[in-house]
Amino acid sequence: MTTVVEQLIEQSRRVGANDSLVLWGGGNNSLKTTAPDLLGRSIEVMLIKSSGSDMKSIVAKQFPAVRLDYIAPLRQRDDMTDDEMVDYLARCLLDPGGPRPSIETLLHAFLPVPSVLHTHADAILALTNTRGREATVRKCFGDSLITIPYRQPGFRLSREVAEAFDAKAEGIVLMNHGLITWGDTPQQAFERHMALTSRAEKFIDRHGAPASAGESQARLKPGLHSIAPALRGALSKDRKVILEFDDSPEVLEFLSRPDAERVTQIGAATPDHILHTKRFPLFLKGDAAPAVEEYLAKHGHTPRIILKPGVGMWTAGKDARAARIVHDIYRHTMQIITAAEALGGYETLNDKDAYEAEHWELETFKLTLLPKEKELAGQVALITGAASGIGRAIALKFAAEGAHVVVTDLADPSEVTAHIEGLRRAISIKMDVSSEESVERAFETCVREYGGVDVVVSNAGVSSFGTLDVLPLADWEKAFAVNTRGHFLVARAAIRIMKEQGRGGSIVFNASKNVTAPGKEFGAYSVSKAAEAQLCRIVALEGGEFGIRANMLNPDAIFDGSRFWSDEMRAMRAQAYGIEADRLPDYYRNRTLLKTTVTADDVPEAALFLASSRSAKTTGAMLPVDGGVREAFPR
Ligand code: ZN
């Protein structure tokens, strides 16, 4: 026999698997049962989904039990503020350390039935967000359902729902909000929910003309590359945002509606969405920067959704996950709008209700619980040569510090991104820094994925060995192709995007100790690295007025995980110093002033310093990470 919480989990998973019912933490469910209190006495409790938990992945501990004997007397009250309600509910928890119960707890608790399920199902929203909403709902369901006019979720709504409740009804529709069903078991409540939503879907199919998408537009390809960074820059006024881009056929078709601008400026479909999406998308016609300014002046915040017909939709968030939530919600909003328009016209919350929903304290409270931002939060960092060694260590460090990282390498760098947790927090791209086309394509991918770039660590390099008299021309040219041309191509692509964004940026060159202390038999390497160093200074000179900083890291003698130190290279250097190859690390250590071994993990600290605002006043500089090498002192 399944336990009550298992039944709830089972119901949650089935609801959560259906994205036309709930999205990203939306919806809530409960089950009334009995449980022993502290003294072992059996009392009536309700297990209710905790605030913010996600139905498709919910686990038992995310269903706190609240005491119904404490909640019952609340029915007698006239009103209760959100603060009072939260405070009261915290004291009703059977386990005082349990998670915060759903903000819609009272709505469940006041209904005299064992199992209650509430969602913001697309099809129900499409019916209730129409002109003449009551009539549309009646036309679909007849009198089998109870309807409740829109009211901000909270104590009063919970009481109104309880007063309107009738066990004979099939469910309750909350106008412009969602659906409630119930039953003796979670299974029954779920089946009723599905029956009602599928009736609504069939009604929409029958009565809603198919989306009249106007002329199917030829898909323009208008410089995504230049729109997105300018847009991201404009949106990143107070804090950096990450963008998600969608130019799927469904989005382009929706945006090709002749009335697309009008219907997208009506508002969000349910209060639950507003906190993520805000009320209105920005319908982008001209340049991004003035359009965002105008939007900001009008609405008091920057837009989360940016629509451009013929191009697609961007959604913005503090990280890629937040941008994805907005994205998913608006994809559903498009369907709701399309259906409601066909049913007589999309209509939603009025200004006052929408304002209240947007500034709903109970919901915005969630935002105050978020952990402190990490140092590189909201930043996009692209690292070259990052499949191994120093580049890999820097990519992992930056990801741990909150950056979204673009891991690039000639070799497949997906092993590195596999270590980075979080939704869309890292992408891997195979890139040859010596190829103009390959570099351009990688940066385009970066812009498409995240909207721009803030930090670039130009790290990829090659070495070769031999005195000048025997050095093959091909080795010389290879060194210049990667160590000079490669850094130029990467820096150029980065600067273009950073200028479009208009928010500065940091480019960190891995220069190496050879720049200040060249080594004999390392001619091709040392000379090409000297050119890289000079390139860094030019970037600093030309980038300064745009807030683009360029600095160099000079690591030395890092053996671990480095492709630079091939067995062949070790053998040759050991021979040059007249020692055994396995004594090489010792040799280098003893050569340092600090008598220390430098590892790949020592470099990311310095890279983070140069990448982050900690070095905001530093450009054109060189930072050795070499244990102290007198000959290599920067001068
Ligand atoms: Zn709700």
Side-chain angles (χ1 to χ4, degrees):
M1 209 189 105
T2 49
T3 64
V4 284
V5 74
E6 280 165 357
Q7 292 176 44
L8 268 175
I9 291 172
E10 162 79 20
Q11 184 200 45
S12 306
R13 296 276 159 84
R14 292 172 75 185
V15 173
N18 187 338
D19 66 3
S20 70
L21 291 181
V22 296
L23 284 170
W24 292 104
N28 37 63
N29 51 348
S30 66
L31 188 58
K32 299 180 184 76
T33 179
T34 55
D37 73 359
L38 190 58
L39 301 176
R41 297 170 299 202
S42 177
I43 54 163
E44 293 199 348
V45 299
M46 177 175 77
L47 303 179
I48 172 95
K49 180 181 164 258
S50 64
S51 180
S53 52
D54 197 75
M55 280 199 171
K56 63 180 175 295
S57 58
I58 202 159
V59 293
K61 67 173 194 300
Q62 288 170 311
F63 285 104
V66 292
R67 294 183 63 133
L68 290 170
D69 56 339
Y70 287 5
I71 290 177
L74 293 182
R75 276 290 302 275
Q76 312 313 320
R77 293 213 192 182
D78 284 337
D79 204 354
M80 208 172 176
T81 67
D82 287 350
D83 282 346
E84 286 169 343
M85 197 167 74
V86 168
D87 202 43
Y88 193 97
L89 285 175
R91 291 151 199 261
C92 296
L93 285 172
L94 195 61
D95 171 3
R100 209 169 116 118
S102 165
I103 51 177
E104 286 170 316
T105 295
L106 292 187
L107 191 139
H108 290 251
F110 287 169
L111 293 180
V113 282
S115 170
V116 176
L117 174 61
H118 166 53
T119 73
H120 312 125
D122 287 357
I124 299 298
L125 292 176
L127 298 185
T128 68
N129 287 26
T130 50
R131 209 163 294 135
R133 51 206 78 175
E134 292 279 344
T136 315
V137 173
R138 286 278 156 254
K139 216 168 128 189
C140 175
F141 293 110
D143 291 326
S144 60
L145 281 181
I146 298 161
T147 60
I148 309 265
Y150 180 79
R151 179 185 285 285
Q152 171 80 19
F155 181 83
R156 303 265 310 266
L157 178 67
S158 306
R159 232 188 48 177
E160 277 174 18
V161 168
E163 277 158 16
F165 174 78
D166 176 352
K168 292 192 291 297
E170 289 182 74
I172 296 175
V173 168
L174 306 177
M175 301 311 276
N176 311 99
H177 179 158
L179 176 68
I180 302 167
T181 57
W182 53 84
D184 291 334
T185 62
Q187 167 82 7
Q188 196 178 30
F190 175 75
E191 279 164 9
R192 289 176 177 171
H193 218 84
M194 294 311 292
L196 292 173
T197 50
S198 79
R199 251 164 85 189
E201 281 161 9
K202 288 197 184 100
F203 178 84
I204 291 165
D205 286 346
R206 245 187 355 261
H207 296 270
S212 59
E215 302 297 296
S216 95
Q217 286 188 6
R219 198 136 145 212
L220 306 172
K221 279 275 166 204
L224 168 64
H225 208 42
S226 64
I227 301 175
L231 181 60
R232 178 167 182 260
L235 295 173
S236 299
K237 201 177 165 78
D238 299 321
R239 55 175 300 164
K240 290 235 159 75
V241 296
I242 300 295
L243 300 185
E244 172 149 1
F245 181 63
D246 184 346
D247 61 351
S248 59
E250 306 82 60
V251 168
L252 291 176
E253 188 183 324
F254 177 81
L255 293 177
S256 73
R257 292 173 65 106
D259 58 358
E261 182 172 7
R262 182 185 66 77
V263 298
T264 56
Q265 300 304 307
I266 295 171
T270 169
D272 185 57
H273 293 172
I274 289 187
L275 196 73
H276 297 291
T277 62
K278 298 289 184 178
R279 256 184 107 187
F280 304 111
L282 167 61
F283 199 83
L284 190 60
K285 285 182 282 193
D287 286 342
V292 170
E293 276 304 313
E294 200 182 306
Y295 182 103
L296 180 63
K298 192 168 162 195
H299 299 289
H301 57 79
T302 52
R304 303 265 170 93
I305 302 158
I306 300 87
L307 305 170
K308 192 165 175 66
V311 178
M313 165 172 80
W314 287 273
T315 50
K318 70 183 173 65
D319 55 24
R321 183 175 181 273
R324 170 62 58 84
I325 293 173
V326 178
H327 167 268
D328 289 358
I329 291 174
Y330 208 71
R331 292 271 313 212
H332 285 266
T333 304
M334 289 177 178
Q335 291 172 23
I336 293 165
I337 291 174
T338 303
E341 273 296 309
L343 290 173
Y346 180 64
E347 255 188 27
T348 182
L349 309 187
N350 61 33
D351 287 353
K352 181 177 162 288
D353 290 337
Y355 181 88
E356 278 178 13
E358 195 171 340
H359 299 88
W360 189 13
E361 271 176 54
L362 264 183
E363 281 286 34
T364 50
F365 170 78
K366 279 187 201 162
L367 304 177
T368 65
L369 297 177
L370 297 172
K372 190 176 170 291
E373 296 262 275
K374 297 208 169 131
E375 185 153 16
L376 296 180
Q379 309 246 7
V380 179
L382 183 146
I383 301 123
T384 72
S388 60
I390 292 172
R392 180 181 187 276
I394 291 174
L396 294 175
K397 174 77 174 177
F398 283 13
E401 293 299 332
H404 292 68
V405 295
V406 181
V407 185
T408 71
D409 202 296
L410 195 57
D412 179 7
S414 53
E415 175 274 332
V416 183
T417 47
H419 289 281
I420 298 169
E421 286 178 9
L423 183 68
R424 290 208 314 126
R425 286 296 301 281
I427 53 171
S428 57
I429 304 175
K430 277 185 79 170
M431 172 175 90
D432 173 2
V433 294
S434 69
S435 155
E436 182 174 27
E437 201 222 329
S438 176
V439 171
E440 292 299 315
R441 225 177 23 219
F443 275 87
E444 270 168 32
T445 305
C446 176
V447 165
R448 195 185 163 89
E449 285 294 318
Y450 296 131
V453 71
D454 307 292
V455 172
V456 169
V457 181
S458 195
N459 166 68
V462 291
S463 60
S464 61
F465 178 77
T467 56
L468 294 176
D469 53 337
V470 299
L471 188 71
L473 178 61
D475 283 11
W476 177 267
E477 289 188 333
K478 176 84 190 293
F480 273 77
V482 177
N483 299 342
T484 303
R485 190 207 304 164
H487 290 290
F488 159 65
L489 291 173
V490 167
R492 186 179 70 173
I495 292 165
R496 285 175 178 167
I497 296 170
M498 287 171 180
K499 278 190 178 180
E500 293 278 357
Q501 284 180 159
R503 300 275 168 213
S506 173
I507 305 180
V508 180
F509 292 89
N510 183 355
S512 111
K513 165 227 112 172
N514 278 60
V515 172
T516 46
K520 65 176 184 171
E521 298 166 351
F522 267 114
Y525 184 74
S526 300
V527 180
S528 60
K529 284 299 215 179
E532 179 198 342
Q534 205 68 326
L535 172 73
C536 172
R537 297 182 180 109
I538 302 294
V539 174
L541 290 172
E542 294 182 358
E545 64 181 294
F546 303 100
I548 299 169
R549 300 184 298 111
N551 293 289
M552 282 170 265
L553 277 175
N554 290 6
D556 185 36
I558 289 165
F559 291 91
D560 58 318
S562 170
R563 275 171 297 166
F564 181 99
W565 287 101
S566 62
D567 288 347
E568 194 193 4
M569 179 65 83
R570 284 177 195 237
M572 285 188 294
R573 290 325 286 162
Q575 199 184 14
Y577 299 129
I579 55 173
E580 294 294 317
D582 59 2
R583 296 257 311 112
L584 207 58
D586 281 343
Y587 176 84
Y588 276 97
R589 184 178 65 237
N590 286 322
R591 192 172 86 160
T592 68
L593 298 173
L594 297 170
K595 304 291 177 221
T596 185
T597 303
V598 186
T599 72
D601 288 330
D602 296 320
V603 185
E605 277 300 330
L608 176 62
F609 173 73
L610 293 178
S612 70
S613 58
R614 285 196 239 177
S615 62
K617 310 287 169 69
T618 301
T619 192
M622 210 174 238
L623 179 54
V625 188
D626 58 8
V629 179
R630 183 193 170 97
E631 306 74 57
F633 283 173
R635 70 200 107 108

